[in-house]
Amino acid sequence: MRQPDGARIHDLLTQGRQPGEIIPLATLTHELNGGADWPTVGDWESVTTHLLQLVRSGDCDALSLGLPEIARALVCTGPHSHARAYDAAADDFVVYGSSERAAVLDEVGMYLTGIATEQPFWPGDSLLPPLVGRRA
């Protein structure tokens, strides 16, 4: 990840979190005032583009989760957002919210833990030390 954006993002993703906690990019965006504070951390578009380039070029381990539509929608929205889906059998809408999102993240966490016990994820080469609680 380009610097100093990568170090700042690492700091935000790790400080005050539980080890192994899954933090979707949407959660980080929510925490950054709905994205308004991204410029204090880095250029969001540049960061996401570079992350995709790293994954596509094989410069770090990545995994496609193949989540169902509702689960994907919940992970791609903030932690307090809702997703609605039409249930044709009931002829009504079903609303999914933060508790369903938490369940999806728990399931993803269990899946990733199982994979990581077989072989740890490779974060890439040339890693820089974390900021250790200070903002750059």
Side-chain angles (χ1 to χ4, degrees), residues 4 6-12 15 128-136:
R8 288 185 191 128
I9 292 168
H10 178 271
D11 188 45
L12 289 172
Q15 298 302 313
L128 299 175
L131 293 175
V132 191
R134 63 180 170 83
R135 301 278 186 240

Side-chain angles (χ1 to χ4, degrees), residues 8-9 14 16 44-45 52-54 60 72-73 77 85 87 89 93 97 104 107 116 118-119 123:
R8 288 185 191 128
I9 292 168
T14 57
W44 182 88
E45 187 172 338
L52 286 172
Q53 288 171 345
L54 285 172
C60 68
R72 192 171 53 244
T77 59
D87 181 351
F93 286 93
V104 169
E107 189 175 320
E118 294 175 20
Q119 180 174 335

Side-chain angles (χ1 to χ4, degrees), residues 5-132:
D5 297 4
R8 288 185 191 128
I9 292 168
H10 178 271
D11 188 45
L12 289 172
L13 291 173
T14 57
Q15 298 302 313
R17 314 263 189 201
Q18 297 298 315
E21 185 177 354
I22 297 172
I23 311 298
L25 190 56
T27 299
L28 186 56
T29 297
H30 170 80
E31 292 172 355
L32 290 170
N33 194 22
D37 293 339
W38 257 110
T40 65
V41 176
D43 176 0
W44 182 88
E45 187 172 338
S46 188
V47 165
T48 55
T49 298
H50 189 243
L51 181 58
L52 286 172
Q53 288 171 345
L54 285 172
V55 169
R56 288 182 178 151
S57 65
D59 290 332
C60 68
D61 280 345
L63 180 64
S64 177
L65 298 173
L67 295 174
E69 279 186 44
I70 293 298
R72 192 171 53 244
L74 289 167
V75 170
C76 291
T77 59
H80 305 295
S81 298
H82 294 87
R84 289 178 8 136
Y86 181 70
D87 181 351
D91 191 31
D92 199 6
F93 286 93
V94 178
V95 178
Y96 301 90
S98 55
S99 61
E100 289 85 5
R101 185 180 196 264
V104 169
L105 292 176
D106 287 345
E107 189 175 320
V108 168
M110 289 188 305
Y111 178 67
L112 293 176
T113 298
I115 291 173
T117 57
E118 294 175 20
Q119 180 174 335
F121 285 99
W122 172 60
D125 293 326
S126 305
L127 298 178
L128 299 175
L131 293 175
V132 191

